[in-house]
């Protein structure tokens, strides 16, 4: 529950239980978490011990079961080896061969030989059931058992078909005996031994030794009787997957075991021939151990209830539970003790902050100590952040101030003081390097001024600095500076050994020009100064860059100007273009040869492009003056763009000679037309430009309107409105209002004037009308706009 702390100390000391829990919530969490951690650790360890114990018991039991099965497996292997050796002996015995290969049947001889065979075999191995001898010559089988002429069905199927019969492999089968006229089952292990001369041929004779299964079944029975009380059983599966049954087992158990064993074998085809798995029957979990007797092809299975195995671990489980409970109590005691020691300095800090804020009458909602400290910390950081922003803003202003002084004044500052300024203002220039000035001059600056509001223009100049500075920083440390005019400046640190810095900067500037053009749809021309090792000479480098930038007139927009690029112009001794070209131009004008005029003008401007800046300007004025003089001599009305009053606006304000060239060509074309009222595209451009300039110079005049402008321009209101809107897509009254509101927005930020005074300053005398237009354009009132912009400036 939240609790409010006030300056009343008695009220603070008399907090209720809920308040106390709120103030001590983190301490209680510490106790609970430490207790839970210890308890979880003990439970996990106990569980691991218990599970490992179970697994260990299962593995030990499996090992014990394997010993039993291996003993049976050994007995089976031993008996199998014995019978195999006996079979080989009998097959080569003279009495057996005498019966097996006899040509004529002599029952006395057969009886004598069989008697000798039986007496020798039964004396050696008591588990021999009978010996059968097949004579192919007579197609007769003789048996030492009963009857003498026993017809072995399996043997005759082998003789009379293509069926294969395994040699010396025990085959568990029922040979069926006749007792008192009734056929009863008789189970034996049969071993067949024979030879064939070629593949697929039938043998001349076969010896069959039948072994009583009692020797094996008795062995299994003894094991089952021993483990019967535990619920253990041992089973044998033959090659065909059938049980060797002694009649003591439950058929249901055997069916379940056989099904699950085969399912496990199918599910784990890569499993070893010896192993174990667990299976459930009737709610009881069994451990099934199995092993294969390789030479006989039989499988031994032993089942054992899992609970019988786990009964030894029940006592361990009880002990683990008791230990866990003991550790739980110990965990509570230990966690309280540890928590107190850890919490003591933390609690003192919380209490100290609380008391201090109570003395300052700060009211805080306390849910727990962490949230309380977080709230206090957040409030403190907000205050610090505010102070930091003010400090950074101050430093940015100071940084701009010092950088401006470095390039606009020839400062004489000591090394120590300069280093201190660099460090304090966080100026990233390398103090001991050389320096160069890179001046970025915005192209088509007049259009730039008309197209963007004051804030947008500042933003674009800021973006130019950031983009160019970031790209320049790939190779050279630098600082950017907004000169609040048509250009920005980069002060670049140049390593002393870098003699080709201008070519490197040229490539970086081209990259910056591409980015600025892509994002802001404007271009700029760059001027790169020489380098100096003295920071006091930055003013000279800046002036050099300014002088070089004037050669944009000759090199064009988006050019990168260095001294090397304008060296020929600067050092040119020519003062103007050839007199011959001027005479040819006059002649072409008088003869009205359009192509000749344009060709001569092209040659003149080509020569002007080789002059230095000042001579180029003088040559352009000289050319225009000559064109006007010639038109007057020819009694041709001069186009408006060549009027003396508009030369400074339409020609000398152009930034490149290519633009001036186009204006003169267009003006000559217009001058030789008979009707100027067609308002060609060029004429419209000059008219629109003149109207726009007039509005920008007279926006403060309350009487400024479409009618007053049309009267001054000596053109009808209708034609003026139509021409202006077609060219600019905005009407003259709308443009007047737009420009006035833009100027008003600038004044709201920059000047400490009332809204009425600002409205009057921009030529709007009706304050209500001003409010309405301003809110429609900026979606806020003038005061709200000024407040928001000032807040943004503070944050930036």
């Amino acid at each position: 529950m939240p609790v409010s702390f006030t300056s009343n100390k008695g009220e603070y000391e008399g907090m209720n239980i809920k308040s106390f829990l709120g103030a001590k919530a983190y301490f209680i969490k510490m106790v609970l978490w430490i207790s839970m951690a210890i308890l979880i650790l003990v439970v996990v360890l106990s569980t691991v011990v218990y599970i490992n114990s179970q697994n260990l018991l299962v593995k030990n039991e499996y090992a014990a079961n394997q010993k039993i099965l291996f003993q049976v497996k050994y007995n089976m292997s031993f008996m199998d080896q014995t019978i195999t050796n006996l079979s080989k002996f009998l097959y080569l015995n003279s009495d057996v061969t005498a019966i097996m290969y006899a040509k004529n049947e002599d029952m006395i001889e057969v009886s004598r030989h069989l008697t000798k065979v039986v007496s020798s075999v039964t004396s050696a191995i008591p588990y021999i059931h009978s010996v059968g001898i097949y004579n192919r010559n007579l197609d007769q089988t003789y048996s030492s058992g009963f009857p003498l002429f026993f017809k072995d069905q399996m043997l005759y199927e082998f003789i009379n078909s293509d069926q294969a019969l395994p040699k010396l492999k025990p085959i568990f089968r029922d040979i069926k005996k006749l007792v008192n006229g009734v056929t009863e089952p008789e189970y034996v292990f049969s071993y067949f031994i024979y030879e064939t001369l070629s593949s697929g041929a039938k043998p001349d004779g076969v010896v069959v030794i039948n072994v009583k299964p009692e020797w094996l079944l008795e062995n299994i029975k003894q094991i089952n009787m021993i483990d019967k009380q535990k619920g253990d059983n041992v089973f044998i599966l033959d090659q065909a997957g059938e049980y060797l049954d002694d009649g003591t087992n439950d058929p249901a158990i055997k069916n379940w075991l056989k099904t699950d064993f085969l399912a496990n074998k199918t599910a784990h085809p890569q499993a070893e021939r010896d192993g174990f798995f667990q299976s459930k029957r009737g709610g009881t979990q069994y451990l099934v151990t199995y092993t294969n007797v390789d030479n006989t092809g039989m499988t031994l299975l032993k089942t054992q209830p899992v609970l019988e195995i786990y009964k030894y671990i029940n006592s361990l489980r009880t002990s683990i539970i008791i230990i866990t409970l003991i550790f739980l109590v110990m965990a509570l005691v230990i966690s309280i003790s540890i928590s107190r020691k850890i919490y003591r300095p933390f609690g003192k800090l919380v209490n100290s902050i609380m008391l201090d804020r109570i003395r300052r009458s700060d009211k805080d909602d306390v849910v727990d100590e962490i949230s309380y400290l977080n709230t206090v910390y957040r409030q403190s950081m907000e205050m610090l952040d505010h102070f930091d922003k003010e400090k950074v803003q101050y430093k940015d202003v100071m940084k701009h101030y010092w950088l401006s002084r470095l390039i606009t004044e020839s400062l004489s500052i000591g090394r120590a003081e300069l280093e201190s300024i660099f460090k304090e203002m966080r100026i990233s220039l390398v103090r001991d390097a050389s320096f160069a000035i890179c001046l970025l001059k915005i192209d088509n600056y007049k259009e730039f001024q008309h197209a963007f509001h004051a804030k947008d223009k500042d933003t674009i100049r800021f973006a130019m600095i950031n983009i160019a500075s970031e790209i320049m920083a790939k190779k050279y440390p630098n600082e950017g500076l907004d000169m609040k005019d048509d250009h920005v400046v980069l002060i670049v640190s140049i390593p002393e050994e870098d003699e080709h810095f201008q070519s490197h900067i040229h490539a970086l500037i081209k990259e910056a020009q591409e980015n600025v053009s892509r994002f802001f749809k404007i271009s700029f021309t760059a001027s790169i100064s020489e380098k100096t090792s003295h920071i006091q000479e930055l003013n000279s480098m800046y002036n050099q860059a300014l002088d070089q930038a004037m050669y944009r007139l000759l090199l064009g927009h988006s050019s990168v100007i260095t001294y090397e690029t304008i060296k020929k112009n600067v050092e040119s001794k020519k003062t103007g273009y050839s007199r011959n070209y001027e005479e040819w131009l006059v002649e072409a004008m008088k003869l009205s040869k359009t192509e000749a005029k344009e060709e001569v003008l092209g040659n003149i401007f080509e020569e002007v492009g080789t002059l230095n800046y000042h001579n180029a300007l003088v040559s352009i004025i000289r050319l225009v003056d000559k064109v006007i003089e010639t038109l007057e001599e020819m009694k041709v009305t001069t186009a408006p763009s060549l009027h003396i009053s508009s030369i400074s606006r339409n020609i000398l304000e152009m930034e490149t000679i290519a633009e001036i060239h186009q204006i003169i060509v267009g003006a000559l074309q217009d001058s030789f037309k008979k009707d100027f009222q067609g308002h060609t595209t060029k004429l419209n451009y000059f008219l629109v430009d003149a109207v726009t300039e007039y509005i920008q110079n007279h926006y403060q005049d309350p009487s400024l309107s479409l009618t007053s402008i049309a009267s001054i321009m000596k053109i009808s209101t209708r034609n003026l409105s139509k021409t202006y809107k077609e060219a600019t897509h905005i009407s003259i009254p709308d443009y007047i209002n737009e420009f006035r509101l833009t100027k008003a927005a600038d004044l709201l930020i920059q000047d400490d004037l009332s809204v009425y005074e600002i409205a009057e300053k921009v030529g709007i005398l009706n304050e209500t009308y001003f409010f309405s237009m301003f809110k429609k354009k900026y979606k806020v009132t003038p005061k709200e706009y000024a407040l928001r912009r000032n807040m943004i400036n503070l944050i930036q």
Side-chain angles (χ1 to χ4, degrees), residues 692-703:
T692 301
E693 186 173 357
Y694 186 83
I695 292 171
Q696 292 174 358
N697 291 334
H698 298 84
Y699 70 92
Q700 295 174 321
D701 183 0
S703 64

Side-chain angles (χ1 to χ4, degrees), residues 21 29 91 207 290 331 349 376 499 509 518 568 709 721 748:
L21 290 176
K29 288 179 183 178
Y91 189 74
V207 176
Y290 60 89
L349 174 62
V376 175
E499 296 298 330
I509 289 298
R518 183 167 67 252
K568 290 183 179 179
I709 296 172
S721 177
L748 282 167

Side-chain angles (χ1 to χ4, degrees), residues 36-54:
M36 287 297 295
I38 296 174
L39 179 60
I40 290 170
L41 180 62
V42 172
V43 170
V44 169
L45 291 176
S46 301
T47 304
V48 170
V49 170
Y50 184 74
I51 293 172
N52 286 340
S53 300
Q54 284 184 330

